[in-house]
Amino acid sequence: QVRLVESGGDSVEAGGSLRLSCTAYGISFDEYYMGWFRQVPGKEREGVATLSLRENTRYADFVKGRFTISRDRSRNMVFLQMNNLTPEDTAMYYCVSHRGAGSWWYLQPGYFPDYWGQGTQVTVYS
């Protein structure tokens, strides 16, 4: 059974940094692509960053140069380092996974992976 457990969300001042963590259970990083999505209440979910089996990455334009996705294969964990946060980054952040790539991995709007964590809240105040 696939289970994704996020942590690291917090309230931070604009310009600050946070590191989100995701522990993945029931999947192998040799088969499952990983990523981070986010959602603001009343808005559509949107992709933030994705990571392929071979460590290729994709980033949404609104986080390029500020966020970095990475993983620790030995601990089955994925991370999202977020720097220079702005109030517009306030959202619930979800760790996601899917067996295989596809449109969701390329962050195409309206396409979503199969597996989601419970989310971790990030609040950025000015």
Side-chain angles (χ1 to χ4, degrees):
Q1 182 180 357
V2 177
R3 190 161 69 101
L4 305 171
V5 181
E6 305 98 331
S7 63
D10 205 345
S11 183
V12 62
E13 191 172 9
S17 298
L18 281 175
R19 187 194 196 206
L20 305 183
S21 300
C22 170
T23 303
Y25 300 93
I27 66 171
S28 166
F29 282 169
D30 292 331
E31 297 179 298
Y32 284 78
Y33 288 66
M34 304 298 296
W36 290 92
F37 274 56
R38 70 185 189 185
Q39 187 172 27
V40 175
K43 289 192 174 182
E44 179 84 339
R45 292 170 291 176
E46 57 184 2
V48 175
T50 57
L51 182 64
S52 77
L53 302 183
R54 297 187 178 185
E55 311 303 320
N56 294 314
T57 57
R58 294 273 176 173
Y59 293 97
D61 287 343
F62 52 79
V63 302
K64 279 182 181 176
R66 301 188 299 126
F67 291 12
T68 303
I69 186 171
S70 63
R71 78 166 109 223
D72 181 339
R73 288 180 177 271
S74 67
R75 295 189 290 165
N76 241 38
M77 293 184 72
V78 178
F79 307 99
L80 185 68
Q81 178 66 44
M82 306 186 295
N83 298 327
N84 194 20
L85 286 160
T86 73
E88 289 69 36
D89 295 317
T90 295
M92 184 71 78
Y93 283 73
Y94 297 92
C95 179
V96 299
S97 179
H98 192 95
R99 192 168 186 172
S103 296
W104 78 272
W105 189 82
Y106 292 94
L107 301 177
Q108 293 185 17
Y111 291 87
F112 304 105
D114 282 345
Y115 300 103
W116 295 69
Q118 82 286 350
T120 186
Q121 178 67 37
V122 172
T123 302
V124 185
Y125 58 90
S126 57

